[in-house]
Amino acid sequence: MADFQLRAYQEEVVERALRRENVIIWLPTGGGKTRAAVYVAKKHLETTPRAKVVVLVNKVHLVDQHYKKEFMPHLGHDYYLVAVSGESEEKDFFGRVVQEKDVVICTAQILYNALTNTDENKHVELSDITLLIIDECHHTHKDSVYNQVMTCYVEKKLKGEQPLPQILGLTASPGTGGGRTLEKAVGHVLQICSNLDSAIVSTKNYVSELKEKVPRPLKSFDIVEKRLQDPFGDHLKSMMQMIHEYMDLPPDVRLRECGTQEYEADVVVLEQRAMLLQDNRLLAQCALHLRQYNDALLINDTLRMMDAYRSLEEFYINKFPTAIDGTDFFLVGLFQENQVELQKLARDSRYENPKMGKLENTLLQQFSPNVKSKGILFSKTRKSIHCLKDWVLNNKALQEAGIKADFLTGSGNGSTYMTQNEQADTIRNFRQGTLNLLISTSVAEEGLDIPECNLVVRYGLLTNEIAQQQASGRARAKDSKYSVVAQKGGREVQRELTNEYLEELTGKAIAKVQEMSLGEFRKKITELQTEAVICRKIAESCKAEKKSRNTAASVQLLCRNCFKSVASGSDIKLLDNQHFVNVNPDFKRHYKVGVQVVLERSFEDWEPGCTISCSNCNKDWGYEMKYKEVALLPNLKIKNLALETPQGRTTVKKWKDVPFTVEDFSFTEYCEDNFPNLFD
C-alpha cells in the first residue's frame, strides 16, 4: 500500500470525505473517482472502530470489475472483501456476509432486498454499515433502487435515528434532469444532493492537472446526405397506408409521419384505446402490426434494408398458424402478398443506406492491420447491435482492417440478452485484445474501464447529456476520437449540440450549489428531504387506496392479444415477495407449454420450467416454475395480460401497479388444496 498515492486533484476532492462528511465526488470519466473512493475506504477502515464499508454499483459487471481491479489489489492484504451479485451464493445469507466481512461490493438491489427482508440471515440494518459508497450516484432519483436505499437513510435521519453510515457518492455528471435553464438545473443538482444527503465536491485548485490527465477526445460529426431514393421504405409505407384504410381510423385520431418515434407513440396509444375503451380487436391488432412496420422503417433508416426486412419476417413467421379471425388473415396475408417484392427491394444495393458507408469509413480511419486500435460502437437497441455485428463480420473491408467485433447488451432472459457470464467474458476479451471493437447498447456507457480505447462512435442515438458524456469518456487513449455518424439535418446532430449546452449548464449549476453557504445549503436539503417524504407517503396512500378499491375476485385477467378471460385476480399469489403465480389448477386449460426456460443461475427453492402461451392465440404469458420440487406454478407477465375491473378495462406494466391486493403464497395451503389425501 506504500505506492497507493492520489493525484493532487484527487486529494482535493477527498478532503471533506476524510473528515467524515457526506460528499458526492464529481470528476470526469477517467478521472479516477473509484481510486479516490478506495483511498477514502482505506483511511476509514484504519480509523473507524468496527468499520464496515459497502460499495453499491448499478450494473452486475461492475461488481466484479471494482472488486478485482480496484478494491482487492489495495485492500485485500489487510481486510476481508467479498463481491456479491444476483448469481452469488452469498446473497442467500447476505446479513451474515455483512457481519463477517470488512468490505462488501454488491449491486444496489442486493442491499435493498436485505434492508427490507425480515429473515435473520438475509437482513441488514443501515446501522450495520459505517461507510456507504454509491457508484454512478446520479441514478439516485425517482424510483431507482439507489433512491430506495437512500429513502431508508433519509427517513431515519429525519427521525433522528442513529447511527447512520457516511455517504460517498461518485459521478461524472449529475445532469440537469431535463432542465434547460440554470434555475432548473440548480434545482436538479440540489435534489440529487438531497437524495444522497451530501454536498457535491470537485477540484478547484488543480483543474489544469485534471485536464492534462484526462484529455477529451477529438470530436467529429461524420455527416451523410439523405438517400435520394428509398423504394423499400416507400413500399413499406404503402402497405401501412393499406392497413390505415382497412382499420377505418376513428375521426378524432391523427397519426403522425410514418417511420418516426412520434408515429410509434401514436400507435401505442391507439392500441391501448382500442383494447381498453372500445374492445375493438381489429383496431388493436392493426395498431400492433403498424408498430412493427414502423420499427422496420426506423431500422431501414439506421441499418441495412435486409435488417429491416428480416425484422418483419421474424415477426410474421409465427403469425399465420395462430390467426384467429379475419383481421389476422388480412394482416398476415398483406405481408405474404408483398414478401417477395420486399425481399427483392431489400437486396438492391443501389438503394442501400448511405449511413452504413459513412460508418464503414469512420471505422477504417482508425482500424488497420498494422495499427492497434480499440473502439466502442454505441447503438440504441439490442436488435441494432446484433445487426451491426453481422454487418461488421460480413464486411470484407472491415475484416481486412483486422476488426474483431462482438456485442455487449444488458443481462436478462431471451435471445437478444446476454447472461452475466457472457457479459464478463466479452468485457475480458475486449480488455485483453482478443476483441478490438465492442458494439454496445448503453450498458457500456458507464463504468467500463478501458483506458486504451481510442475510438467511440455513436450511431443512431438520441440520448441525454449524461449518456453523451459517459460515452465520450470511454475514449481515453491519447489522440482518441469521438464520432457522431448522422444524417445531414437529422435529429441526432441537434441532440448532440443540445447536450453540449446541457453539459456546460450542469457545470454552472454545480458551481452555484457550491457557492451556497453551509447553513443555506443544509436548510435547502432538509426542506427537499421533508418534502420528498411527504410526497412519498401521499403516493403510497393513493396506491393503497387504489388497491383497496377492488377485491381480487372482482378483477378478471384477459389475454392481451385475443381478449379471452383466463383467470381471476384471486387466483394470483405473491411467492417469495417477487413471483406472481397462478395457483388455480384449472388455469392449465388456458395455456400451452413451450420450450424449457434456461436461466444462468440456480435458486434456493425453485427452478424454471417451460414457457407458457395462450392456447387460443399463442400470446406469451411467462413460464412455469417448480417450487420446492412439488408445486408447478405458472409465473405470469402482467404486461402481456389485461385487467377487467369494475371500473373498466386497464393494463399495467408491472405487478406492483395492479388495482387489487395480491395475497402471499402459502405452500401449506397449496398442498392442502392440491394433495388433500396427504392431510387425511
Side-chain angles (χ1 to χ4, degrees), residues 35-252:
R35 181 62 56 87
V38 175
Y39 186 85
V40 173
K42 176 181 179 291
K43 295 299 182 184
H44 182 88
L45 289 161
E46 290 171 350
T47 59
T48 308
R50 295 183 296 280
K52 192 75 60 179
V53 178
V54 174
V55 183
L56 299 186
V57 299
N58 65 326
K59 290 189 172 73
V60 171
H61 69 263
L62 296 180
V63 173
D64 192 51
Q65 177 175 298
H66 283 352
Y67 176 77
K68 290 182 178 177
K69 294 203 60 157
E70 297 288 354
F71 285 87
M72 193 63 184
H74 296 295
L75 303 179
H77 291 295
D78 302 307
Y79 302 99
Y80 294 105
L81 285 75
V82 65
V84 186
S85 64
E87 62 181 6
S88 309
E89 291 183 3
E90 287 88 351
K91 76 180 186 304
D92 296 327
F93 45 92
F94 189 70
R96 281 167 46 199
V97 169
V98 171
Q99 295 294 335
E100 295 169 1
K101 304 296 183 183
D102 300 309
V103 180
V104 179
I105 303 168
C106 64
T107 55
Q109 191 66 54
I110 295 282
L111 178 60
Y112 182 69
N113 291 347
L115 292 172
T116 55
N117 199 312
T118 55
D119 186 319
E120 186 177 346
N121 284 327
K122 298 180 179 180
H123 182 68
V124 171
E125 287 284 347
L126 280 173
S127 57
D128 297 332
I129 305 166
T130 57
L131 174 62
L132 183 62
I133 300 172
I134 303 179
D135 189 38
E136 308 293 357
C137 69
H138 50 272
H139 291 297
T140 312
H141 61 88
K142 297 182 180 177
D143 293 327
S144 73
V145 67
Y146 276 170
N147 212 25
Q148 289 174 320
V149 170
M150 285 307 300
T151 292
C152 299
Y153 176 102
V154 168
E155 290 185 353
K156 286 180 180 293
K157 176 212 168 186
L158 293 177
K159 291 175 185 175
E161 294 184 23
Q162 295 290 338
L164 288 170
Q166 178 187 351
I167 304 297
L168 177 61
L170 311 174
T171 184
S173 174
T176 67
R180 300 294 178 98
T181 65
L182 182 57
E183 182 183 6
K184 288 186 177 179
V186 168
H188 174 72
V189 173
L190 281 170
Q191 188 64 62
I192 294 292
C193 291
S194 165
N195 295 344
L196 287 152
D197 195 44
S198 300
I200 187 164
V201 298
S202 57
T203 184
K204 301 292 186 185
N205 302 320
Y206 301 97
V207 174
S208 58
E209 182 197 42
L210 176 61
K211 288 182 177 179
E212 181 187 340
K213 295 295 182 183
V214 191
R216 301 201 64 158
L218 177 66
K219 185 170 185 175
S220 69
F221 287 95
D222 294 320
I223 305 301
V224 63
E225 296 288 339
K226 186 176 181 179
R227 58 180 154 195
L228 298 176
Q229 291 180 285
D230 182 17
F232 176 79
D234 293 341
H235 198 89
L236 290 178
K237 290 176 182 177
S238 70
M239 294 170 69
M240 294 169 78
Q241 184 58 41
M242 293 174 72
I243 297 175
H244 290 169
E245 294 168 0
Y246 175 81
M247 66 183 182
D248 191 19
L249 276 172
D252 60 328

Side-chain angles (χ1 to χ4, degrees), residues 361-373:
N361 290 336
T362 300
L363 292 172
L364 289 175
Q365 286 173 15
Q366 293 292 116
F367 287 92
S368 68
N370 302 318
V371 177
K372 284 190 176 181
S373 288

Side-chain angles (χ1 to χ4, degrees), residues 271-411:
E271 188 263 339
Q272 290 270 355
R273 167 176 167 170
M275 183 181 65
L276 304 182
L277 302 180
Q278 301 171 314
D279 201 10
N280 186 333
R281 187 174 186 276
L282 184 153
L283 206 59
Q285 286 301 302
C286 287
L288 285 172
H289 286 246
L290 284 169
R291 184 174 180 180
Q292 294 297 322
Y293 280 97
N294 197 66
D295 280 349
L297 284 173
L298 291 170
I299 293 170
N300 181 52
D301 184 57
T302 308
L303 303 164
R304 298 167 296 186
M305 294 184 291
M306 188 53 72
D307 295 323
Y309 167 77
R310 284 175 184 150
S311 74
L312 278 176
E313 185 180 51
E314 187 179 312
F315 174 73
Y316 278 102
I317 198 163
N318 294 318
K319 286 296 176 185
F320 191 77
T322 57
I324 59 175
D325 62 16
T327 299
D328 292 333
F329 287 115
F330 166 76
L331 292 167
V332 174
L334 178 65
F335 177 74
Q336 289 178 330
E337 289 167 10
N338 289 272
Q339 190 170 4
V340 173
E341 181 64 17
L342 284 173
Q343 200 169 23
K344 177 185 173 185
L345 291 171
R347 286 178 171 152
D348 194 331
S349 60
R350 291 177 297 171
Y351 308 113
E352 195 51 271
N353 188 350
K355 288 183 187 175
M356 300 297 288
K358 180 61 74 173
L359 177 59
E360 178 183 326
N361 290 336
T362 300
L363 292 172
L364 289 175
Q365 286 173 15
Q366 293 292 116
F367 287 92
S368 68
N370 302 318
V371 177
K372 284 190 176 181
S373 288
K374 192 170 281 188
I376 305 178
L377 169 56
F378 286 106
S379 194
K380 183 179 179 182
T381 65
R382 293 188 301 275
K383 184 182 289 185
S384 67
I385 67 169
H386 280 258
C387 293
L388 285 167
K389 178 190 173 182
D390 179 72
W391 169 71
V392 169
L393 296 181
N394 289 284
N395 183 296
K396 186 178 178 183
L398 297 180
Q399 289 305 295
E400 289 177 350
I403 293 181
K404 300 182 286 289
D406 206 347
F407 53 74
L408 181 67
T409 69
S411 59

Side-chain angles (χ1 to χ4, degrees), residues 107 150 272 458 598 657 680:
T107 55
M150 285 307 300
Q272 290 270 355
R458 282 166 61 82
V598 179
D657 298 321
D680 290 343

Side-chain angles (χ1 to χ4, degrees), residues 6 28 35 180 206 400 420 434 500 540 574 577 583 616:
L6 296 184
R35 181 62 56 87
R180 300 294 178 98
Y206 301 97
E400 289 177 350
Q420 292 170 12
T434 309
E500 289 178 5
E540 288 171 359
L574 177 58
N577 206 34
V583 298
N616 188 47

